[in-house]
Amino acid sequence: MLETFYPDEYVDSAYGIPYETLYSMGYRGIIFDVDNTLVPHGAPADRPAVELFEKLRELGFSTCILSNNREPRVAPFANRVKSPYIYKGGKPSVKGYRLAMEVMKTETSNTLFIGDQLFTDVWGARRTGLYSILVKPIDPKEEIQIVMKRYLEAVVLWFYKRRRKKTGSGSHDFCKK
């Protein structure tokens, strides 16, 4: 049952993912969460975020930001990194993920999702049929409702890591496909 929340990959940071490898594997679209995935909660797009999106465009990726936040939070970030966006995305509902793929003109087979939360980001991506990459939260300072979810996520991640260890697979499996 916990497998429902398992990401396909679990990595330290969105900034250390081998995007060239993912592109060579046929991925063409990336849906991103913002807060604690790309920047600390509520922070504006910084230089590393802008450079990441420039690199992704150069590689040939389409991107879309999918956030449960309101437009005043999401729009300035998305505009700075020059990416389309969906605010009040309703994650983990599949609706926002599908809309993001429509915007990017991609399909489940060539789109992946990157986010920092299991019960919204990863679960929604899995429900949609997307490859999901969970990143460690950038900043430990979070709103109380997220802090509470993190305790439950810790239990799921413990079982996830244990299973990965038993099966002999480690993180960054996408580098081996």
Side-chain angles (χ1 to χ4, degrees), residues 31 64 66 68 86-103 124-125 127-128 130:
I31 304 169
C64 188
L66 176 61
N68 284 348
I86 298 163
Y87 65 96
K88 292 177 84 174
K91 295 179 288 182
S93 169
V94 300
K95 185 179 176 183
Y97 296 86
R98 288 184 179 148
L99 183 56
M101 288 186 287
E102 269 183 51
V103 167
R127 292 175 69 207
T128 309
L130 297 177

Side-chain angles (χ1 to χ4, degrees), residues 8-10 160 164-165 167-174 176:
D8 292 296
E9 299 295 334
Y10 181 36
Y160 167 79
R164 303 271 309 202
K165 195 172 190 178
T167 61
S169 61
S171 63
H172 307 296
D173 283 345
F174 50 82
K176 300 173 189 166

Side-chain angles (χ1 to χ4, degrees), residues 84-150:
Y85 65 93
I86 298 163
Y87 65 96
K88 292 177 84 174
K91 295 179 288 182
S93 169
V94 300
K95 185 179 176 183
Y97 296 86
R98 288 184 179 148
L99 183 56
M101 288 186 287
E102 269 183 51
V103 167
M104 295 186 299
K105 297 177 177 41
T106 60
E107 301 172 2
T108 55
S109 62
N110 66 358
T111 305
L112 60 101
F113 181 86
I114 300 172
D116 71 297
Q117 292 188 51
L118 288 176
F119 302 130
T120 52
D121 298 333
V122 170
W123 189 29
R126 288 186 55 92
R127 292 175 69 207
T128 309
L130 297 177
Y131 192 84
S132 63
I133 301 175
L134 178 69
V135 298
K136 292 179 182 173
I138 291 174
D139 187 356
K141 289 183 181 179
E142 296 180 299
E143 297 171 348
I144 188 66
Q145 69 272 17
I146 296 173
V147 171
M148 300 306 289
K149 282 194 268 184
R150 294 290 187 201

Side-chain angles (χ1 to χ4, degrees), residues 1-54:
M1 183 192 129
L2 292 179
E3 292 85 4
T4 301
F5 303 107
Y6 289 178
D8 292 296
E9 299 295 334
Y10 181 36
V11 300
D12 289 338
S13 168
Y15 297 98
I17 294 170
Y19 293 102
E20 297 85 354
T21 301
L22 291 168
Y23 192 85
S24 73
M25 292 169 58
Y27 290 102
R28 296 299 180 261
I30 303 174
I31 304 169
F32 282 97
D33 177 49
V34 175
D35 287 322
N36 256 347
T37 297
L38 295 167
V39 293
H41 186 78
D46 56 11
R47 181 178 295 150
V50 171
E51 289 173 355
L52 173 63
F53 279 77
E54 287 172 356

Side-chain angles (χ1 to χ4, degrees), residues 54-67:
E54 287 172 356
K55 173 185 173 181
L56 294 173
R57 280 190 294 277
E58 287 172 13
L59 288 172
F61 280 107
S62 294
T63 62
C64 188
I65 292 169
L66 176 61
S67 176

Side-chain angles (χ1 to χ4, degrees), residues 148-164:
M148 300 306 289
K149 282 194 268 184
R150 294 290 187 201
Y151 287 110
L152 296 172
E153 284 184 354
V155 173
V156 174
L157 285 171
W158 184 85
F159 283 103
Y160 167 79
K161 290 173 186 175
R162 185 174 141 187
R163 179 177 175 197
R164 303 271 309 202

